[in-house]
Amino acid sequence: MERIVVTRFSAMGDVAMVAAVLKDFQEQHPDTELIMVSRPFFAPFFADIPRVVFHPIDPRGNHRGIGGLIKLFKELKGYKAKYVADLHNNLRSRFLDVLFRSSNHKVQVLDKGRAEKKALTRSKNKIKKQLRTMTERYADVFRKLGYPIELKNTLQKQHRLIPEGMLSLLASDAKKIGIAPFAQHPYKVLPMEKMKAVIAELSRSVNVQIMLFGGGKAEKQITETWSDEFPNVTSLVGKYSLAQELDIISHLDVMVSMDSSGMHMASLVGTPCISIWGATHPFAGFLGYGQSENDCVQVEHPNRPSSVYGNKPCLCDDIEAIDLISSEMVVEKIKLKLNLQ
């Protein structure tokens, strides 16, 4: 059995996309074992993939600095892998690549398509076209290592257990809607007053249950306020582990998320996602694995996209692209998806 060391340390959505690719890879290559190197928090993404050994990186502790990376390299050498798939292409992963190459390992590195993405997001002479998806870029690394792989790019529903305390919500015949209202960068977050209006309108629908996802103290306070204010709304922030959140999402009829990790977590468990896009655009290749562009809520504008990751403002005359999206647009898309009146 051949072993491949796979490195992708962050961010959450990117690591989830890697997990989707590894599922397809392992189905098509039953003679391989993958050593997945990432932050410990992301281990649940890989728990159900056969022949994947998760090896945690601790960049603020044991694996901090050059000495720490050398220690990590020695740990990984113990697996006696033949190949290295660098799916991150950052300073840490490239340093590991150098060490592995010096030990006669075959190493291939992710092509992030930086020039194409710059052309897509620049303010002048923008080249607006669909770029290669990130999942295909991840798969390309394995192809260059000599492993053909065909990505299904379809949602595959997972059957997972219902976490304790969620049976009454998830086993009911109500339409179950998960909403992840937050994201790391501000220019791809629907304004909170609009998201509140979305939740208020949906909560008035007959036979629905709305579950709110997120992390952090401020997010917990916001979602608990909404949970108290509107019927059939439950905040799950801070109550369940990442693995349990995946369990819950697998039982939803639909997830609603920004261009962020909520969408990619829905993809991992085969749940369709209504995704909301502001400064970013699916053209950059970050649409969730198996998700449909028809389920995206976005407003076309000649200056959009202005950012690959949502960390740069839009150039829409001081009006952010995400502000052009109305709560009614989001509600309409959700109701259409669920055949709600």
Side-chain angles (χ1 to χ4, degrees), residues 32-56:
T32 60
E33 184 174 71
L34 303 177
I35 315 303
M36 181 67 215
V37 187
S38 192
R39 294 175 188 257
F41 181 73
F42 303 134
F45 291 161
F46 304 92
D48 298 325
I49 307 175
R51 303 180 313 285
V52 170
V53 176
F54 188 87
H55 191 102

CSV table of all heavy atoms in Angstrom, one decimal, residues 32-56:
chain,number,residue,atom,x,y,z
A,32,THR,N,-4.2,2.9,-1.5
A,32,THR,CA,-3.4,4.0,-0.9
A,32,THR,C,-3.8,4.3,0.5
A,32,THR,O,-5.0,4.1,0.9
A,32,THR,CB,-3.6,5.3,-1.7
A,32,THR,OG1,-4.9,5.7,-1.7
A,32,THR,CG2,-3.1,5.2,-3.2
A,33,GLU,N,-2.9,4.9,1.3
A,33,GLU,CA,-3.2,5.4,2.6
A,33,GLU,C,-2.7,6.9,2.6
A,33,GLU,O,-1.6,7.2,2.1
A,33,GLU,CB,-2.5,4.6,3.7
A,33,GLU,CG,-2.8,5.1,5.1
A,33,GLU,CD,-2.2,4.2,6.2
A,33,GLU,OE1,-1.0,4.3,6.3
A,33,GLU,OE2,-2.9,3.4,6.8
A,34,LEU,N,-3.6,7.8,3.1
A,34,LEU,CA,-3.3,9.2,3.1
A,34,LEU,C,-3.0,9.6,4.5
A,34,LEU,O,-3.7,9.3,5.5
A,34,LEU,CB,-4.5,10.0,2.5
A,34,LEU,CG,-4.9,9.6,1.1
A,34,LEU,CD1,-6.1,10.4,0.7
A,34,LEU,CD2,-3.8,9.8,0.1
A,35,ILE,N,-1.9,10.4,4.7
A,35,ILE,CA,-1.5,11.0,6.0
A,35,ILE,C,-1.9,12.5,5.9
A,35,ILE,O,-1.2,13.3,5.3
A,35,ILE,CB,0.0,10.8,6.2
A,35,ILE,CG1,0.5,9.4,5.9
A,35,ILE,CG2,0.3,11.2,7.7
A,35,ILE,CD1,-0.2,8.3,6.6
A,36,MET,N,-3.0,12.8,6.5
A,36,MET,CA,-3.6,14.2,6.4
A,36,MET,C,-3.0,15.0,7.5
A,36,MET,O,-3.2,14.7,8.7
A,36,MET,CB,-5.1,14.1,6.4
A,36,MET,CG,-5.7,15.5,6.3
A,36,MET,SD,-5.5,16.2,4.7
A,36,MET,CE,-5.3,18.0,5.1
A,37,VAL,N,-2.3,16.1,7.1
A,37,VAL,CA,-1.7,17.0,8.1
A,37,VAL,C,-2.5,18.3,8.2
A,37,VAL,O,-2.5,19.0,7.2
A,37,VAL,CB,-0.2,17.2,7.8
A,37,VAL,CG1,0.4,18.0,8.9
A,37,VAL,CG2,0.5,15.9,7.5
A,38,SER,N,-3.1,18.6,9.3
A,38,SER,CA,-3.9,19.8,9.5
A,38,SER,C,-4.0,20.1,10.9
A,38,SER,O,-3.5,19.4,11.8
A,38,SER,CB,-5.2,19.6,8.8
A,38,SER,OG,-5.9,20.9,8.7
A,39,ARG,N,-4.7,21.2,11.2
A,39,ARG,CA,-4.9,21.5,12.6
A,39,ARG,C,-5.9,20.6,13.3
A,39,ARG,O,-6.9,20.1,12.6
A,39,ARG,CB,-5.5,23.0,12.7
A,39,ARG,CG,-4.4,24.0,12.3
A,39,ARG,CD,-5.0,25.4,12.2
A,39,ARG,NE,-4.1,26.4,11.6
A,39,ARG,CZ,-3.3,27.2,12.3
A,39,ARG,NH1,-3.4,27.3,13.6
A,39,ARG,NH2,-2.5,28.0,11.7
A,40,PRO,N,-5.7,20.3,14.6
A,40,PRO,CA,-6.5,19.3,15.2
A,40,PRO,C,-8.0,19.5,15.2
A,40,PRO,O,-8.8,18.6,15.1
A,40,PRO,CB,-6.0,19.3,16.7
A,40,PRO,CG,-4.7,19.9,16.6
A,40,PRO,CD,-4.7,20.9,15.4
A,41,PHE,N,-8.4,20.8,15.2
A,41,PHE,CA,-9.8,21.1,15.2
A,41,PHE,C,-10.6,20.6,13.9
A,41,PHE,O,-11.8,20.3,14.0
A,41,PHE,CB,-10.0,22.7,15.2
A,41,PHE,CG,-11.4,23.1,15.2
A,41,PHE,CD1,-12.2,23.0,16.4
A,41,PHE,CD2,-12.0,23.7,14.1
A,41,PHE,CE1,-13.5,23.4,16.4
A,41,PHE,CE2,-13.3,24.1,14.1
A,41,PHE,CZ,-14.1,24.0,15.3
A,42,PHE,N,-9.8,20.4,12.8
A,42,PHE,CA,-10.4,20.0,11.6
A,42,PHE,C,-10.5,18.4,11.4
A,42,PHE,O,-11.0,17.9,10.4
A,42,PHE,CB,-9.7,20.6,10.4
A,42,PHE,CG,-9.6,22.1,10.4
A,42,PHE,CD1,-8.4,22.7,10.1
A,42,PHE,CD2,-10.7,22.8,10.7
A,42,PHE,CE1,-8.4,24.1,10.2
A,42,PHE,CE2,-10.7,24.2,10.7
A,42,PHE,CZ,-9.5,24.9,10.5
A,43,ALA,N,-10.0,17.7,12.4
A,43,ALA,CA,-9.9,16.2,12.3
A,43,ALA,C,-11.3,15.6,11.9
A,43,ALA,O,-11.4,14.6,11.2
A,43,ALA,CB,-9.4,15.6,13.6
A,44,PRO,N,-12.4,16.1,12.5
A,44,PRO,CA,-13.7,15.5,12.2
A,44,PRO,C,-14.1,15.5,10.7
A,44,PRO,O,-14.8,14.6,10.2
A,44,PRO,CB,-14.7,16.3,12.9
A,44,PRO,CG,-14.0,16.9,14.1
A,44,PRO,CD,-12.6,17.2,13.5
A,45,PHE,N,-13.5,16.4,9.9
A,45,PHE,CA,-13.8,16.4,8.5
A,45,PHE,C,-13.3,15.1,7.8
A,45,PHE,O,-13.8,14.7,6.7
A,45,PHE,CB,-13.1,17.6,7.8
A,45,PHE,CG,-13.6,18.9,8.1
A,45,PHE,CD1,-12.9,20.1,7.9
A,45,PHE,CD2,-14.9,19.1,8.7
A,45,PHE,CE1,-13.4,21.3,8.2
A,45,PHE,CE2,-15.4,20.3,9.0
A,45,PHE,CZ,-14.7,21.5,8.8
A,46,PHE,N,-12.3,14.4,8.4
A,46,PHE,CA,-11.7,13.3,7.8
A,46,PHE,C,-12.0,12.0,8.5
A,46,PHE,O,-11.5,10.9,8.0
A,46,PHE,CB,-10.2,13.5,7.7
A,46,PHE,CG,-9.7,14.8,7.1
A,46,PHE,CD1,-9.6,16.0,7.8
A,46,PHE,CD2,-9.5,14.8,5.7
A,46,PHE,CE1,-9.2,17.1,7.2
A,46,PHE,CE2,-9.2,16.0,5.1
A,46,PHE,CZ,-9.0,17.2,5.8
A,47,ALA,N,-12.8,12.0,9.5
A,47,ALA,CA,-13.0,10.9,10.4
A,47,ALA,C,-13.7,9.7,9.6
A,47,ALA,O,-13.4,8.6,10.0
A,47,ALA,CB,-13.9,11.3,11.6
A,48,ASP,N,-14.5,10.0,8.6
A,48,ASP,CA,-15.2,8.9,8.0
A,48,ASP,C,-14.6,8.5,6.6
A,48,ASP,O,-15.2,7.7,5.9
A,48,ASP,CB,-16.7,9.4,7.7
A,48,ASP,CG,-17.4,9.6,9.1
A,48,ASP,OD1,-17.1,8.9,10.0
A,48,ASP,OD2,-18.2,10.5,9.1
A,49,ILE,N,-13.5,9.0,6.3
A,49,ILE,CA,-12.8,8.7,5.0
A,49,ILE,C,-11.9,7.5,5.3
A,49,ILE,O,-11.0,7.5,6.1
A,49,ILE,CB,-12.0,9.9,4.5
A,49,ILE,CG1,-12.9,11.1,4.4
A,49,ILE,CG2,-11.5,9.5,3.1
A,49,ILE,CD1,-12.2,12.4,4.0
A,50,PRO,N,-12.1,6.4,4.5
A,50,PRO,CA,-11.3,5.2,4.7
A,50,PRO,C,-9.8,5.5,4.4
A,50,PRO,O,-9.4,6.2,3.5
A,50,PRO,CB,-11.9,4.2,3.8
A,50,PRO,CG,-12.6,5.0,2.8
A,50,PRO,CD,-13.1,6.2,3.4
A,51,ARG,N,-9.0,4.8,5.2
A,51,ARG,CA,-7.5,4.8,5.0
A,51,ARG,C,-6.9,6.2,5.0
A,51,ARG,O,-6.0,6.6,4.2
A,51,ARG,CB,-7.1,4.1,3.7
A,51,ARG,CG,-7.7,2.6,3.7
A,51,ARG,CD,-7.3,1.9,2.4
A,51,ARG,NE,-7.5,2.7,1.2
A,51,ARG,CZ,-8.7,2.9,0.7
A,51,ARG,NH1,-9.8,2.4,1.2
A,51,ARG,NH2,-8.9,3.7,-0.4
A,52,VAL,N,-7.5,7.1,5.9
A,52,VAL,CA,-6.9,8.4,6.1
A,52,VAL,C,-6.4,8.4,7.6
A,52,VAL,O,-7.2,8.2,8.5
A,52,VAL,CB,-7.9,9.5,5.9
A,52,VAL,CG1,-7.3,10.9,6.4
A,52,VAL,CG2,-8.2,9.6,4.4
A,53,VAL,N,-5.1,8.7,7.8
A,53,VAL,CA,-4.6,8.9,9.1
A,53,VAL,C,-4.4,10.4,9.3
A,53,VAL,O,-3.8,11.1,8.5
A,53,VAL,CB,-3.2,8.2,9.2
A,53,VAL,CG1,-2.6,8.5,10.6
A,53,VAL,CG2,-3.3,6.7,9.0
A,54,PHE,N,-5.0,10.9,10.4
A,54,PHE,CA,-5.0,12.3,10.6
A,54,PHE,C,-3.8,12.6,11.5
A,54,PHE,O,-3.7,12.1,12.6
A,54,PHE,CB,-6.2,12.9,11.3
A,54,PHE,CG,-6.3,14.4,11.4
A,54,PHE,CD1,-6.8,15.1,10.3
A,54,PHE,CD2,-5.8,15.0,12.5
A,54,PHE,CE1,-6.8,16.5,10.4
A,54,PHE,CE2,-5.9,16.4,12.6
A,54,PHE,CZ,-6.3,17.1,11.6
A,55,HIS,N,-2.9,13.5,11.0
A,55,HIS,CA,-1.7,13.9,11.8
A,55,HIS,C,-1.8,15.4,12.2
A,55,HIS,O,-1.7,16.2,11.2
A,55,HIS,CB,-0.4,13.6,11.1
A,55,HIS,CG,0.8,13.7,12.0
A,55,HIS,ND1,1.5,12.6,12.5
A,55,HIS,CD2,1.5,14.8,12.4
A,55,HIS,CE1,2.5,13.0,13.2
A,55,HIS,NE2,2.5,14.3,13.2
A,56,PRO,N,-2.0,15.7,13.4
A,56,PRO,CA,-2.2,17.2,13.7
A,56,PRO,C,-0.9,18.0,13.7
A,56,PRO,O,0.2,17.5,14.0
A,56,PRO,CB,-2.7,17.1,15.2
A,56,PRO,CG,-2.2,15.8,15.8
A,56,PRO,CD,-2.1,14.9,14.6
